[in-house]
Amino acid sequence: MRPGHRFIGTAQMTARYHVSPRQYPDLRALCGDSSDNIPGIKGIGAKTAATLLSGGLTLDDLPASGRLVGGKGAAITAAWEQVLTWRSMIRMRTVMPLAAKPTGAGTVPLPIPGQVIATLGLWRRPLAGPV
């Protein structure tokens, strides 16, 4: 079974991606994630991103870490604001306002499919005469 089809824990995440679950958005912001339309930094793959984040570092720690050197470091530095935006897009939002108690309000009923087809003018009558 592929990892996308089951839950994986911290040990499996670390074994597969070489980062903790907390670091995963940082990893994907650096190397990209096609499923979320995140292009990542050109020339930075998952292995390089994991190396940059090794030791529990996050994107916030990278500028002061001394690891952003050479051409790859320059590429990350040049796109830093975009990398932070990508991380923000990848992170799961955990704050969502919910009613303290059920409201009892029902949902809006869905339209009848035939009515939608008729309203949009998608219903065509068969041609008259022999077929």
Side-chain angles (χ1 to χ4, degrees), residues 6-107:
R6 61 186 161 93
F7 290 109
I8 62 173
T10 302
Q12 294 88 357
M13 171 74 73
T14 303
R16 181 175 176 131
Y17 300 105
H18 307 289
V19 295
S20 70
R22 182 179 63 88
Q23 295 171 293
Y24 187 77
D26 298 351
L27 174 97
R28 286 299 170 196
L30 289 169
C31 69
D33 188 351
S34 60
S35 67
D36 285 330
N37 258 350
I38 305 296
I41 303 296
K42 185 176 182 176
I44 305 293
K47 190 173 182 179
T48 301
T51 301
L52 288 169
L53 299 171
S54 66
L57 267 62
T58 64
L59 284 180
D60 301 318
D61 303 322
L62 276 182
S65 71
R67 295 182 183 184
L68 298 179
V69 294
K72 292 180 181 184
I76 293 169
T77 303
W80 187 249
E81 291 302 317
Q82 188 63 52
V83 171
L84 295 177
T85 300
W86 292 332
R87 178 181 65 177
S88 176
M89 292 169 61
I90 295 167
R91 280 183 170 165
M92 182 183 294
R93 303 292 185 255
T94 57
V95 179
M96 183 174 176
L98 298 173
K101 296 180 182 178
T103 62
T107 61

Coordinates of all heavy atoms in Angstrom, one line a residue, residues 6-107:
R6 N -2.7 5.4 3.5 CA -2.8 5.0 4.9 C -2.2 6.0 5.8 O -1.5 6.9 5.3 CB -2.1 3.6 5.1 CG -0.6 3.7 4.8 CD 0.0 2.3 4.9 NE 1.2 2.2 4.2 CZ 2.4 2.4 4.7 NH1 2.5 2.6 6.0 NH2 3.5 2.4 4.0
F7 N -2.4 5.9 7.1 CA -1.8 6.9 8.0 C -0.4 6.4 8.3 O -0.2 5.2 8.4 CB -2.6 6.9 9.3 CG -4.0 7.6 9.2 CD1 -5.1 6.8 9.2 CD2 -4.1 8.9 9.0 CE1 -6.4 7.4 9.1 CE2 -5.3 9.5 8.8 CZ -6.4 8.8 8.8
I8 N 0.5 7.3 8.4 CA 1.9 7.0 8.8 C 2.2 7.8 10.0 O 1.7 8.9 10.2 CB 2.9 7.2 7.7 CG1 3.0 8.7 7.2 CG2 2.6 6.3 6.5 CD1 4.1 9.0 6.2
G9 N 3.0 7.2 10.9 CA 3.4 7.9 12.1 C 4.7 8.6 12.0 O 5.3 8.7 10.9
T10 N 5.2 9.1 13.1 CA 6.4 9.9 13.1 C 7.6 9.0 12.6 O 8.5 9.5 11.9 CB 6.7 10.4 14.5 OG1 5.6 11.2 14.9 CG2 8.0 11.2 14.6
A11 N 7.7 7.8 13.1 CA 8.8 6.9 12.7 C 8.8 6.7 11.2 O 9.9 6.8 10.5 CB 8.7 5.6 13.4
Q12 N 7.7 6.4 10.6 CA 7.6 6.2 9.1 C 7.9 7.5 8.4 O 8.6 7.5 7.3 CB 6.2 5.7 8.7 CG 5.9 4.3 9.2 CD 5.3 4.3 10.6 OE1 5.1 5.4 11.3 NE2 4.9 3.1 11.1
M13 N 7.5 8.6 8.9 CA 7.8 9.9 8.3 C 9.3 10.2 8.3 O 9.8 10.6 7.2 CB 7.0 11.1 9.0 CG 7.4 12.5 8.6 SD 6.8 13.0 7.0 CE 5.1 13.3 7.4
T14 N 9.9 10.0 9.4 CA 11.3 10.2 9.5 C 12.1 9.2 8.6 O 13.1 9.6 8.0 CB 11.8 10.1 11.0 OG1 11.0 11.0 11.8 CG2 13.2 10.4 11.2
A15 N 11.7 8.0 8.6 CA 12.4 7.0 7.7 C 12.3 7.3 6.3 O 13.2 7.2 5.5 CB 11.8 5.6 8.0
R16 N 11.1 7.8 5.8 CA 10.9 8.1 4.4 C 11.5 9.4 4.0 O 12.1 9.5 2.9 CB 9.4 8.0 4.1 CG 9.1 8.2 2.6 CD 7.7 8.0 2.3 NE 7.5 8.3 0.9 CZ 6.9 7.6 0.0 NH1 6.4 6.4 0.4 NH2 6.8 8.0 -1.2
Y17 N 11.2 10.5 4.7 CA 11.6 11.8 4.3 C 12.8 12.4 5.0 O 13.2 13.5 4.7 CB 10.3 12.8 4.5 CG 9.2 12.3 3.6 CD1 8.1 11.7 4.2 CD2 9.2 12.5 2.3 CE1 7.0 11.3 3.5 CE2 8.1 12.1 1.5 CZ 7.0 11.5 2.1 OH 5.9 11.1 1.4
H18 N 13.2 11.8 6.1 CA 14.3 12.2 6.9 C 14.1 13.6 7.6 O 15.0 14.3 7.9 CB 15.6 12.3 6.1 CG 15.9 11.0 5.3 ND1 16.3 9.9 6.0 CD2 15.8 10.7 4.0 CE1 16.5 8.9 5.1 NE2 16.1 9.4 3.9
V19 N 12.8 13.8 7.9 CA 12.4 15.0 8.7 C 11.3 14.6 9.6 O 10.6 13.6 9.3 CB 12.0 16.2 7.8 CG1 13.1 16.8 7.0 CG2 10.8 15.9 6.9
S20 N 11.0 15.4 10.6 CA 9.9 15.1 11.5 C 8.6 15.7 10.8 O 8.7 16.5 9.9 CB 10.1 15.8 12.8 OG 10.0 17.2 12.7
P21 N 7.4 15.2 11.3 CA 6.2 15.8 10.7 C 6.1 17.3 10.8 O 5.6 18.0 9.9 CB 5.1 15.1 11.6 CG 5.7 13.8 12.0 CD 7.2 14.1 12.2
R22 N 6.7 17.9 11.9 CA 6.7 19.3 12.1 C 7.5 20.0 11.0 O 7.2 21.1 10.6 CB 7.2 19.6 13.5 CG 7.2 21.1 13.8 CD 7.8 21.3 15.2 NE 9.2 20.9 15.4 CZ 10.2 21.7 15.1 NH1 10.0 22.9 14.7 NH2 11.4 21.3 15.3
Q23 N 8.5 19.3 10.5 CA 9.4 19.9 9.4 C 8.9 19.7 8.0 O 9.4 20.3 7.1 CB 10.8 19.3 9.5 CG 11.5 19.7 10.8 CD 12.8 18.8 10.9 OE1 12.8 17.6 11.0 NE2 13.9 19.5 10.7
Y24 N 7.9 18.8 7.8 CA 7.5 18.5 6.5 C 7.0 19.7 5.6 O 7.4 19.7 4.5 CB 6.3 17.4 6.6 CG 6.0 16.9 5.2 CD1 6.8 15.9 4.6 CD2 4.8 17.3 4.6 CE1 6.5 15.4 3.4 CE2 4.5 16.8 3.3 CZ 5.3 15.8 2.7 OH 5.0 15.3 1.5
P25 N 6.3 20.6 6.1 CA 5.9 21.8 5.3 C 7.2 22.6 4.9 O 7.2 23.1 3.7 CB 5.0 22.6 6.2 CG 4.5 21.7 7.2 CD 5.5 20.7 7.4
D26 N 8.2 22.6 5.7 CA 9.4 23.3 5.4 C 10.1 22.6 4.2 O 10.7 23.2 3.3 CB 10.3 23.4 6.6 CG 9.7 24.2 7.7 OD1 8.7 24.8 7.5 OD2 10.3 24.2 8.8
L27 N 10.2 21.2 4.4 CA 10.8 20.4 3.3 C 10.1 20.6 2.0 O 10.8 20.9 1.0 CB 10.7 18.9 3.7 CG 11.2 17.9 2.7 CD1 12.7 17.5 3.0 CD2 10.4 16.7 2.6
R28 N 8.8 20.5 2.0 CA 8.1 20.7 0.7 C 8.1 22.1 0.2 O 8.1 22.3 -1.0 CB 6.6 20.2 0.9 CG 6.5 18.8 1.0 CD 7.0 18.2 -0.3 NE 7.1 16.7 -0.2 CZ 7.8 16.0 -1.0 NH1 8.4 16.5 -2.0 NH2 7.9 14.7 -0.9
A29 N 8.3 23.1 1.0 CA 8.4 24.5 0.5 C 9.7 24.6 -0.2 O 9.8 25.4 -1.2 CB 8.3 25.5 1.7
L30 N 10.8 23.9 0.2 CA 12.1 24.0 -0.4 C 12.1 23.2 -1.7 O 12.6 23.7 -2.7 CB 13.2 23.5 0.6 CG 13.5 24.4 1.7 CD1 14.4 23.7 2.7 CD2 14.1 25.7 1.2
C31 N 11.7 21.9 -1.6 CA 11.9 21.1 -2.8 C 10.6 21.0 -3.7 O 10.7 20.5 -4.8 CB 12.3 19.7 -2.4 SG 11.0 18.7 -1.5
G32 N 9.5 21.5 -3.2 CA 8.3 21.5 -4.1 C 7.4 20.3 -3.8 O 7.8 19.3 -3.2
D33 N 6.1 20.5 -4.2 CA 5.1 19.4 -4.0 C 4.1 19.6 -5.1 O 3.3 20.5 -5.1 CB 4.5 19.6 -2.7 CG 3.5 18.4 -2.3 OD1 3.2 17.6 -3.2 OD2 3.0 18.4 -1.2
S34 N 4.2 18.7 -6.1 CA 3.3 18.8 -7.3 C 1.9 18.7 -7.0 O 1.0 19.3 -7.6 CB 3.7 17.8 -8.4 OG 3.6 16.5 -7.9
S35 N 1.5 17.9 -5.9 CA 0.1 17.7 -5.6 C -0.5 19.0 -5.0 O -1.7 19.2 -5.1 CB 0.0 16.6 -4.5 OG 0.5 17.0 -3.3
D36 N 0.3 19.9 -4.5 CA -0.2 21.2 -4.0 C 0.2 22.4 -4.9 O 0.0 23.5 -4.5 CB 0.4 21.5 -2.6 CG -0.3 20.6 -1.5 OD1 -1.5 20.3 -1.7 OD2 0.3 20.3 -0.5
N37 N 0.7 22.1 -6.1 CA 1.2 23.1 -7.0 C 2.3 24.0 -6.4 O 2.3 25.2 -6.7 CB 0.0 23.9 -7.5 CG -0.4 23.5 -8.9 OD1 0.3 22.8 -9.6 ND2 -1.5 24.1 -9.3
I38 N 3.2 23.4 -5.6 CA 4.3 24.2 -5.1 C 5.5 23.8 -5.9 O 5.9 22.7 -5.9 CB 4.5 23.8 -3.6 CG1 3.2 24.0 -2.8 CG2 5.7 24.6 -3.0 CD1 2.7 25.4 -2.6
P39 N 6.1 24.8 -6.6 CA 7.2 24.5 -7.5 C 8.5 24.2 -6.7 O 9.3 23.5 -7.2 CB 7.3 25.7 -8.4 CG 6.7 26.8 -7.6 CD 5.7 26.2 -6.8
G40 N 8.7 24.8 -5.6 CA 10.0 24.7 -4.9 C 11.1 25.4 -5.6 O 10.9 26.1 -6.6
I41 N 12.3 25.3 -5.0 CA 13.4 26.0 -5.5 C 14.1 25.1 -6.5 O 14.4 23.9 -6.3 CB 14.4 26.3 -4.4 CG1 13.8 27.2 -3.3 CG2 15.7 27.0 -4.9 CD1 13.3 28.5 -3.7
K42 N 14.4 25.7 -7.7 CA 15.1 24.9 -8.8 C 16.4 24.4 -8.2 O 17.2 25.2 -7.7 CB 15.3 25.7 -10.0 CG 15.8 25.0 -11.2 CD 15.9 25.8 -12.4 CE 16.4 25.0 -13.6 NZ 16.4 25.7 -14.8
G43 N 16.7 23.1 -8.4 CA 18.0 22.6 -8.0 C 18.0 22.0 -6.6 O 18.9 21.4 -6.1
I44 N 16.8 22.2 -5.8 CA 16.7 21.7 -4.5 C 15.8 20.5 -4.5 O 14.6 20.7 -4.7 CB 16.2 22.8 -3.5 CG1 17.1 24.0 -3.5 CG2 16.1 22.2 -2.1 CD1 18.5 23.8 -3.0
G45 N 16.3 19.3 -4.3 CA 15.4 18.1 -4.2 C 15.2 17.8 -2.7 O 15.6 18.5 -1.8
A46 N 14.4 16.7 -2.6 CA 14.1 16.3 -1.2 C 15.3 15.9 -0.4 O 15.3 16.2 0.8 CB 13.1 15.1 -1.3
K47 N 16.3 15.4 -1.0 CA 17.5 15.0 -0.2 C 18.2 16.2 0.3 O 18.6 16.3 1.4 CB 18.4 14.1 -1.1 CG 19.5 13.5 -0.4 CD 20.3 12.5 -1.3 CE 21.4 11.8 -0.6 NZ 22.1 10.9 -1.5
T48 N 18.4 17.2 -0.6 CA 19.1 18.4 -0.2 C 18.3 19.2 0.9 O 18.8 19.7 1.8 CB 19.3 19.3 -1.4 OG1 20.1 18.6 -2.4 CG2 20.0 20.6 -1.0
A49 N 17.0 19.2 0.7 CA 16.1 19.9 1.6 C 16.2 19.3 3.0 O 16.3 19.9 4.0 CB 14.7 20.0 1.1
A50 N 16.2 17.9 3.0 CA 16.3 17.2 4.3 C 17.6 17.4 5.0 O 17.7 17.6 6.2 CB 16.0 15.7 4.0
T51 N 18.7 17.5 4.2 CA 20.0 17.8 4.7 C 20.0 19.2 5.3 O 20.6 19.4 6.4 CB 21.1 17.7 3.6 OG1 21.0 16.4 3.1 CG2 22.5 18.0 4.2
L52 N 19.4 20.2 4.7 CA 19.4 21.5 5.2 C 18.6 21.6 6.5 O 18.9 22.4 7.4 CB 18.7 22.5 4.2 CG 19.6 22.8 3.0 CD1 18.7 23.6 1.9 CD2 20.8 23.7 3.3
L53 N 17.6 20.8 6.6 CA 16.7 20.8 7.8 C 17.2 19.8 8.9 O 16.5 19.7 9.9 CB 15.3 20.5 7.4 CG 14.7 21.5 6.5 CD1 13.3 21.0 6.0 CD2 14.5 22.9 7.1
S54 N 18.3 19.0 8.6 CA 18.7 18.0 9.6 C 19.0 18.6 10.9 O 19.4 19.8 11.0 CB 19.9 17.3 9.1 OG 21.0 18.2 9.0
G55 N 18.9 17.8 12.0 CA 19.1 18.3 13.3 C 17.9 19.1 13.9 O 18.0 19.7 14.9
G56 N 16.8 19.0 13.2 CA 15.5 19.6 13.7 C 15.3 21.0 13.3 O 14.4 21.7 13.8
L57 N 16.2 21.6 12.4 CA 16.0 22.9 11.9 C 14.7 23.1 11.2 O 14.2 22.2 10.6 CB 17.2 23.4 11.1 CG 18.4 24.0 11.8 CD1 19.0 23.1 12.7 CD2 19.4 24.5 10.7
T58 N 14.2 24.4 11.2 CA 13.1 24.8 10.4 C 13.5 25.9 9.5 O 14.6 26.3 9.5 CB 11.9 25.3 11.3 OG1 12.3 26.5 12.0 CG2 11.5 24.2 12.3
L59 N 12.6 26.3 8.6 CA 12.9 27.4 7.7 C 13.3 28.7 8.5 O 14.2 29.4 8.1 CB 11.8 27.8 6.8 CG 11.5 26.8 5.7 CD1 10.3 27.3 4.9 CD2 12.7 26.7 4.7
D60 N 12.7 28.8 9.7 CA 13.0 30.0 10.5 C 14.5 30.0 11.0 O 15.1 31.0 11.2 CB 12.0 30.1 11.6 CG 10.6 30.2 11.2 OD1 10.3 30.9 10.2 OD2 9.7 29.5 11.8
D61 N 15.0 28.8 11.1 CA 16.4 28.6 11.6 C 17.4 28.7 10.5 O 18.6 29.0 10.8 CB 16.5 27.3 12.3 CG 15.6 27.1 13.5 OD1 15.3 28.0 14.2 OD2 15.1 25.9 13.6
L62 N 17.1 28.5 9.3 CA 18.1 28.4 8.2 C 18.9 29.6 8.0 O 20.1 29.5 7.9 CB 17.4 28.0 6.9 CG 17.1 26.5 6.7 CD1 16.5 26.3 5.3 CD2 18.4 25.7 6.8
P63 N 18.4 30.8 8.0 CA 19.3 32.0 7.7 C 20.5 32.1 8.7 O 21.6 32.4 8.3 CB 18.3 33.2 7.8 CG 17.0 32.6 7.5 CD 17.0 31.2 8.1
A64 N 20.2 31.8 9.9 CA 21.3 31.9 10.9 C 22.1 30.7 11.1 O 23.1 30.7 11.8 CB 20.7 32.3 12.3
S65 N 21.8 29.6 10.4 CA 22.5 28.3 10.6 C 23.8 28.2 9.8 O 24.6 27.3 10.1 CB 21.5 27.2 10.1 OG 21.5 27.2 8.6
G66 N 24.0 29.0 8.9 CA 25.3 28.9 8.1 C 25.2 27.9 7.0 O 26.2 27.6 6.3
R67 N 24.0 27.3 6.8 CA 23.9 26.2 5.8 C 23.5 26.8 4.4 O 23.5 26.0 3.4 CB 22.8 25.2 6.2 CG 23.2 24.5 7.5 CD 22.2 23.5 7.9 NE 22.6 22.8 9.1 CZ 21.9 21.8 9.7 NH1 20.8 21.4 9.1 NH2 22.4 21.3 10.8
L68 N 23.1 28.0 4.3 CA 22.7 28.6 3.0 C 23.9 29.2 2.3 O 24.1 30.4 2.2 CB 21.6 29.7 3.2 CG 20.3 29.2 3.8 CD1 19.3 30.3 4.0 CD2 19.7 28.0 3.0
V69 N 24.8 28.3 1.8 CA 26.0 28.7 1.1 C 26.0 28.1 -0.3 O 25.2 27.2 -0.6 CB 27.3 28.1 1.9 CG1 27.4 28.8 3.2 CG2 27.2 26.6 2.0
G70 N 26.9 28.7 -1.1 CA 27.0 28.2 -2.5 C 25.8 28.6 -3.3 O 25.0 29.5 -3.0
G71 N 25.7 28.0 -4.5 CA 24.6 28.3 -5.5 C 23.3 28.0 -4.9 O 22.3 28.8 -5.2
K72 N 23.1 26.9 -4.3 CA 21.8 26.5 -3.8 C 21.4 27.4 -2.6 O 20.2 27.8 -2.5 CB 21.9 25.0 -3.3 CG 22.0 24.1 -4.5 CD 22.1 22.6 -4.0 CE 22.3 21.7 -5.3 NZ 22.2 20.3 -5.0
G73 N 22.3 27.8 -1.8 CA 22.0 28.7 -0.7 C 21.6 30.1 -1.3 O 20.6 30.7 -0.8
A74 N 22.3 30.5 -2.3 CA 21.9 31.8 -3.0 C 20.5 31.7 -3.6 O 19.7 32.6 -3.5 CB 22.9 32.1 -4.0
A75 N 20.2 30.5 -4.2 CA 18.9 30.4 -4.8 C 17.8 30.4 -3.8 O 16.7 31.0 -4.0 CB 18.8 29.0 -5.6
I76 N 18.0 29.8 -2.6 CA 17.0 29.8 -1.5 C 16.9 31.3 -1.0 O 15.8 31.7 -0.8 CB 17.4 28.9 -0.4 CG1 17.3 27.4 -0.9 CG2 16.5 29.0 0.8 CD1 17.9 26.4 0.0
T77 N 18.0 31.9 -0.8 CA 18.0 33.3 -0.3 C 17.3 34.2 -1.2 O 16.5 35.1 -0.8 CB 19.4 33.8 0.0 OG1 20.1 32.9 0.9 CG2 19.4 35.2 0.6
A78 N 17.5 34.1 -2.5 CA 16.8 34.9 -3.5 C 15.3 34.7 -3.5 O 14.6 35.7 -3.8 CB 17.4 34.6 -4.9
A79 N 14.9 33.5 -3.2 CA 13.4 33.3 -3.2 C 12.8 33.1 -1.8 O 11.8 32.5 -1.7 CB 13.2 32.0 -4.0
W80 N 13.5 33.7 -0.8 CA 13.1 33.4 0.6 C 11.7 33.8 0.9 O 10.9 33.0 1.5 CB 14.0 34.2 1.5 CG 13.8 33.9 2.9 CD1 13.3 34.7 3.9 CD2 14.1 32.6 3.6 NE1 13.2 34.0 5.1 CE2 13.7 32.8 4.9 CE3 14.6 31.4 3.1 CZ2 13.8 31.7 5.8 CZ3 14.8 30.4 4.0 CH2 14.4 30.5 5.4
E81 N 11.2 34.9 0.5 CA 9.8 35.3 0.7 C 8.8 34.3 0.1 O 7.8 34.0 0.7 CB 9.5 36.7 0.3 CG 10.2 37.8 1.1 CD 9.9 37.7 2.6 OE1 8.7 37.6 3.0 OE2 10.9 37.8 3.4
Q82 N 9.1 33.9 -1.1 CA 8.3 32.9 -1.8 C 8.3 31.6 -1.1 O 7.2 30.9 -0.9 CB 8.7 32.7 -3.2 CG 7.7 31.9 -4.1 CD 6.4 32.6 -4.2 OE1 6.3 33.7 -4.6 NE2 5.3 31.9 -3.9
V83 N 9.4 31.2 -0.6 CA 9.5 29.9 0.2 C 8.6 30.0 1.4 O 7.9 29.0 1.7 CB 11.0 29.6 0.6 CG1 11.1 28.4 1.5 CG2 11.8 29.3 -0.7
L84 N 8.7 31.1 2.1 CA 7.8 31.3 3.3 C 6.3 31.2 3.0 O 5.5 30.7 3.7 CB 8.2 32.5 4.1 CG 9.6 32.6 4.7 CD1 9.8 34.0 5.3 CD2 9.8 31.5 5.6
T85 N 6.0 31.8 1.8 CA 4.6 31.8 1.3 C 4.2 30.3 1.0 O 3.1 29.9 1.4 CB 4.4 32.7 0.1 OG1 4.8 34.0 0.5 CG2 3.0 32.6 -0.4
W86 N 5.1 29.6 0.4 CA 4.7 28.2 0.0 C 4.5 27.4 1.3 O 3.6 26.6 1.4 CB 5.8 27.6 -0.8 CG 6.0 28.1 -2.2 CD1 5.0 28.7 -2.9 CD2 7.1 28.2 -3.0 NE1 5.4 29.1 -4.2 CE2 6.8 28.8 -4.2 CE3 8.4 27.8 -2.8 CZ2 7.7 29.0 -5.2 CZ3 9.4 28.0 -3.8 CH2 9.0 28.6 -5.0
R87 N 5.4 27.6 2.3 CA 5.2 26.9 3.6 C 3.9 27.2 4.2 O 3.2 26.3 4.7 CB 6.3 27.2 4.6 CG 6.2 26.5 5.9 CD 7.2 26.8 6.9 NE 7.2 28.3 7.3 CZ 8.0 28.8 8.2 NH1 8.9 28.0 8.8 NH2 7.9 30.0 8.5
S88 N 3.5 28.5 4.2 CA 2.2 28.9 4.7 C 1.1 28.2 4.0 O 0.1 27.8 4.6 CB 2.1 30.4 4.6 OG 0.8 30.8 5.1
M89 N 1.2 28.0 2.7 CA 0.2 27.4 1.9 C 0.1 25.9 2.2 O -1.0 25.3 2.2 CB 0.4 27.6 0.4 CG 0.3 29.0 -0.1 SD 0.9 29.3 -1.7 CE -0.1 28.2 -2.7
I90 N 1.2 25.3 2.6 CA 1.2 23.8 2.8 C 0.8 23.5 4.2 O 0.1 22.4 4.5 CB 2.7 23.3 2.6 CG1 3.1 23.4 1.2 CG2 2.8 21.9 3.1 CD1 4.5 23.2 0.9
R91 N 1.0 24.4 5.2 CA 0.7 24.1 6.6 C -0.8 23.9 6.8 O -1.6 24.6 6.2 CB 1.1 25.2 7.5 CG 2.6 25.2 7.8 CD 2.9 26.3 8.8 NE 4.2 26.1 9.3 CZ 4.9 27.1 9.9 NH1 4.3 28.3 10.1 NH2 6.1 26.9 10.4
M92 N -1.1 22.9 7.6 CA -2.5 22.7 8.0 C -3.1 23.7 8.9 O -2.4 24.1 9.9 CB -2.7 21.3 8.6 CG -4.1 20.9 8.9 SD -4.3 19.3 9.8 CE -3.7 18.2 8.5
R93 N -4.2 24.2 8.6 CA -4.8 25.2 9.5 C -5.5 24.4 10.6 O -6.4 23.6 10.4 CB -5.9 26.0 8.8 CG -5.4 26.8 7.6 CD -4.4 27.9 8.0 NE -4.0 28.7 6.9 CZ -2.8 28.6 6.3 NH1 -1.9 27.7 6.7 NH2 -2.5 29.4 5.2
T94 N -5.1 24.7 11.9 CA -5.7 24.0 13.0 C -6.7 24.8 13.8 O -7.3 24.3 14.8 CB -4.6 23.6 14.0 OG1 -3.8 24.7 14.4 CG2 -3.7 22.6 13.3
V95 N -6.9 26.1 13.4 CA -7.8 26.9 14.1 C -9.1 27.1 13.2 O -9.0 27.7 12.2 CB -7.2 28.3 14.5 CG1 -8.2 29.2 15.2 CG2 -6.0 28.1 15.3
M96 N -10.2 26.6 13.7 CA -11.4 26.8 12.9 C -12.5 27.0 13.9 O -12.8 26.2 14.8 CB -11.7 25.5 12.1 CG -12.8 25.5 11.3 SD -12.9 24.0 10.3 CE -14.4 24.3 9.4
P97 N -13.3 28.1 13.7 CA -14.3 28.4 14.7 C -15.5 27.4 14.5 O -16.0 27.1 13.4 CB -14.8 29.8 14.3 CG -14.3 30.0 12.9 CD -13.1 29.1 12.7
L98 N -15.9 26.8 15.6 CA -17.0 25.8 15.6 C -18.0 26.3 16.7 O -17.6 26.8 17.7 CB -16.5 24.4 15.9 CG -15.5 23.8 15.0 CD1 -14.9 22.5 15.5 CD2 -16.1 23.6 13.6
A99 N -19.3 26.0 16.4 CA -20.3 26.3 17.4 C -20.1 25.4 18.6 O -19.7 24.2 18.5 CB -21.7 26.0 16.8
A100 N -20.3 26.0 19.8 CA -20.1 25.2 21.0 C -21.1 24.1 21.1 O -20.8 23.1 21.7 CB -20.2 26.2 22.2
K101 N -22.3 24.3 20.6 CA -23.4 23.3 20.7 C -24.0 23.2 19.3 O -23.9 24.2 18.5 CB -24.4 23.8 21.7 CG -24.0 23.8 23.1 CD -25.1 24.3 24.0 CE -24.7 24.4 25.4 NZ -25.7 24.9 26.3
P102 N -24.5 22.1 19.0 CA -25.2 21.9 17.7 C -26.3 23.0 17.5 O -27.0 23.3 18.4 CB -25.8 20.6 17.7 CG -25.1 19.8 18.7 CD -24.6 20.9 19.7
T103 N -26.4 23.6 16.3 CA -27.3 24.7 16.1 C -28.7 24.1 15.8 O -29.7 24.8 15.9 CB -26.8 25.6 15.0 OG1 -26.8 24.8 13.8 CG2 -25.5 26.2 15.3
G104 N -28.8 22.9 15.2 CA -30.0 22.4 14.8 C -30.5 22.9 13.5 O -31.5 22.5 13.0
A105 N -29.8 23.8 12.9 CA -30.1 24.3 11.6 C -29.8 23.3 10.5 O -28.8 22.7 10.5 CB -29.4 25.6 11.3
G106 N -30.8 23.1 9.6 CA -30.6 22.1 8.5 C -29.8 22.7 7.4 O -29.5 23.9 7.4
T107 N -29.4 21.9 6.5 CA -28.6 22.4 5.4 C -29.6 22.7 4.2 O -30.8 22.3 4.3 CB -27.7 21.3 4.8 OG1 -28.4 20.2 4.5 CG2 -26.6 20.9 5.9

